[in-house]
Amino acid sequence: MDPALFTAPLKSQFEAFLDEHRAGLAASLDGLTEAEARASLVPSRTTLLGLVKHGTFIERVWFDEAVTGRTRAEIGIPATPDESFVLAPSDTIGTVRADYLAACQEARRATAPLGLDDVVSGNRRGPLPLRWVYLHMLRELAQHCGHADILREQVLAARAGAPAAEGPAAR
């Protein structure tokens, strides 16, 4: 991390941490086959590809729906978080990652003119300051990056002759 960030404005610090987690989630798919990205290793709908697809959902909920007030139907995202993990046959590493990166870029554009104390009013919880939204997103992205690290470790361990551990420290 750039040392200049240590004394940068708080919004810049939040955004740097958001971008670090966004990059980590996108990178969880690096070097995987389509089958590995879709591998179901836990009882829930959570897969590596599904986690990144869910990342697109949360970016659009918090930085489109909450900021603009558009409905999820208008945005073109599922009605519930659980549905956001569902993979379509047409979903690939390339398409899901591209959609996720586009959602992240759209989020940056949507929040660029806002200050941390500016209130966004389109979320179902009611009006919230951008600071709260950033903190919520940091928590959610950190959680999903942790899930992705564990799933990726399992996928790589299943490869014949592959080392069992390739978490964030190994990348």
Side-chain angles (χ1 to χ4, degrees), residues 4-104:
L5 194 56
F6 302 152
T7 57
L10 188 56
K11 185 179 180 199
S12 298
Q13 293 175 358
F14 274 125
E15 290 169 343
F17 278 90
L18 281 168
D19 282 344
E20 186 176 317
H21 284 76
R22 288 166 169 155
L25 188 58
S28 70
L29 300 174
D30 288 353
L32 299 183
T33 66
E34 296 293 335
E36 289 171 333
R38 287 175 168 272
S40 180
L41 304 169
V42 294
S44 69
R45 292 179 170 168
T46 307
T47 64
L48 282 163
L49 196 59
L51 277 169
V52 177
K53 189 170 182 176
H54 175 70
T56 302
F57 171 82
I58 62 175
E59 292 285 340
R60 292 192 170 133
V61 164
W62 289 104
F63 299 119
D64 190 335
E65 180 182 38
V67 173
T68 69
R70 294 188 320 149
T71 68
R72 292 178 184 189
E74 290 171 318
I75 297 167
I77 58 175
T80 68
D82 190 51
E83 292 172 287
S84 72
F85 285 89
V86 175
L87 297 173
S90 60
D91 287 331
T92 66
I93 292 170
T95 61
V96 169
R97 187 183 344 227
D99 198 31
Y100 177 62
L101 295 175
C104 294

